[in-house]
């Protein structure tokens, strides 16, 4: 007996021209939003940082807005496109634009690294001092530029693969920018008004071990001072034991 016709999981099913290397690259770029969702979940679970959780919440709200706009505008995709669903605005363009803009706002306006805040680095003088490698503003600006360029590549790939018209991609980018600006201002208000501190004092937040360190903790040195202190302590104990043995 013949079974029912098989369906394609459109979440990862991407049409591209196998004879075109650029089309192949664009097909991989189409998977960036899914990869970012995995990164969000991994970072939230591993770091328990409230800033990452807030950014992911904004990302989901941005996606909800895209879902509503598509069903309100009801503009079809390009005629040569084999996919389903409405095309205005581009969800891929809106997703990556929100992410890149939110990351840029965080790195340039909210993130204030303070590598000197850790007192543990001076607890032991044995061994070389931990180098000060706080990410400079120029480095954070370069990372922001890289995120924006990557978002532009993903957005352009939707046009190249004929999944969206240029207008649909541009509107998606504009919607992503709007959502990122609104969410940054909203979360800034939550911080200034003390709502973030209030939420972190709730029992569920304590049980989940949520924290708010990444705003001031240097992205390069996160955990480095703690590791160096532990390493110096271990070396000091080994040298003390060696001296006693001699």
């Amino acid at each position: 007996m013949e079974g029912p016709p098989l369906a394609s999981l459109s979440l990862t099913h991407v049409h591209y021209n196998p004879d075109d290397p650029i089309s192949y690259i664009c097909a991989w770029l189409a998977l960036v939003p899914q990869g970012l969702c995995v990164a969000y979940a991994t970072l939230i679970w591993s770091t328990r940082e409230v800033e990452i959780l807030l950014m992911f919440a904004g990302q989901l709200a941005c996606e909800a807005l895209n879902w509503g706009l598509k069903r309100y505008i009801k503009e079809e995709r390009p005629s040569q496109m084999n996919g389903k669903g409405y095309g205005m605005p581009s969800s891929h363009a809106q997703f990556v634009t929100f992410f890149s803009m939110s990351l840029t706002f965080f790195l340039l306006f909210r993130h204030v690294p303070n590598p000197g805040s850790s007192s543990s680095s001076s607890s032991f003088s044995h061994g070389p001092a931990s180098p000060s490698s706080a990410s400079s503003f120029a480095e954070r600006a370069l990372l922001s530029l890289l995120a924006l360029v990557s978002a532009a590549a993903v957005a352009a790939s939707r046009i190249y693969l004929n999944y969206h018209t240029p207008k649909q991609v541009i509107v998606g980018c504009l919607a992503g920018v709007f959502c990122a600006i609104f969410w940054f201002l909203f979360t800034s208000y939550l911080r200034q008004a003390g709502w973030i501190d209030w939420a972190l004092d709730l029992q569920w937040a304590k049980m989940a071990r949520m924290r708010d360190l990444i705003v001031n903790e240097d992205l390069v040195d996160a955990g480095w001072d703690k590791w160096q202190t532990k390493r110096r302590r271990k070396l000091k104990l080994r040298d003390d034991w060696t001296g006693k043995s001699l």
Side-chain angles (χ1 to χ4, degrees):
M1 295 181 61
E2 295 184 359
L6 299 179
S8 171
L9 182 62
S10 59
L11 183 65
T12 57
H13 188 67
V14 183
H15 293 275
Y16 73 96
N17 181 2
D19 297 325
D20 183 357
I22 298 179
S23 180
Y24 179 73
I25 294 174
C26 289
W28 279 102
L29 288 174
L31 303 180
V32 167
Q34 290 90 329
L36 288 176
C37 286
V38 173
Y40 270 125
T42 302
L43 289 172
I44 291 172
W45 176 259
S46 60
T47 67
R48 310 301 173 99
E49 281 287 343
V50 69
E51 182 68 23
I52 301 176
L53 181 62
L54 285 172
M55 187 173 171
F56 186 47
Q59 192 81 70
L60 295 178
C62 184
E63 278 297 285
L65 175 64
N66 180 270
W67 186 89
L69 287 175
K70 280 188 173 183
R71 282 150 185 79
Y72 176 77
I73 301 174
K74 296 182 179 180
E75 182 173 300
E76 298 296 332
R77 295 176 182 268
S79 58
Q80 64 269 37
M81 169 45 205
N82 296 322
K84 300 179 181 179
Y86 299 117
M88 173 66 83
S90 167
S91 58
H92 276 71
Q94 186 169 331
F95 189 104
V96 294
T97 301
F98 175 88
F99 173 80
S100 61
M101 291 298 298
S102 296
L103 181 62
T104 297
F105 290 151
F106 169 75
L107 291 174
L108 301 185
F109 301 110
R110 181 171 293 168
H111 182 50
V112 185
N114 184 16
S117 61
S118 176
S119 60
S120 61
S121 59
S122 60
S123 299
F124 293 89
S125 59
H126 184 87
S130 176
S132 177
S133 56
S135 55
S136 66
F137 183 83
E139 291 173 332
R140 299 198 302 276
L142 181 60
L143 181 59
S144 300
L145 179 62
L146 178 62
L148 293 172
V149 171
S150 299
V154 174
S157 72
R158 306 306 290 168
I159 301 175
Y160 194 89
L161 292 175
N162 294 318
Y163 273 82
H164 292 282
T165 65
K167 182 177 68 173
Q168 292 171 350
V169 168
I170 291 174
V171 173
C173 290
L174 292 176
V177 170
F178 169 80
C179 289
I181 294 175
F182 172 81
W183 195 251
F184 180 78
L185 295 176
F186 176 65
T187 53
S188 295
Y189 163 76
L190 293 180
R191 286 187 172 278
Q192 295 173 3
W195 287 105
I196 300 299
D197 292 333
W198 172 82
L200 290 175
D201 286 333
L202 296 176
Q203 187 61 32
W204 70 266
K206 294 179 180 179
M207 292 178 62
R209 299 187 180 277
M210 298 301 298
R211 63 204 69 173
D212 190 22
L213 295 175
I214 197 173
V215 173
N216 300 116
E217 188 177 49
D218 186 76
L219 299 177
V220 177
D221 284 338
W224 175 258
D225 285 339
K226 184 176 180 181
W227 158 246
Q228 286 298 294
T229 299
K230 181 179 179 181
R231 184 170 178 269
R232 286 193 292 270
R233 183 185 293 113
K234 182 178 180 180
L235 291 174
K236 187 176 185 298
L237 291 174
R238 187 189 66 182
D239 290 350
D240 290 345
W241 175 261
T242 302
K244 292 179 180 179
S245 299
L246 294 176

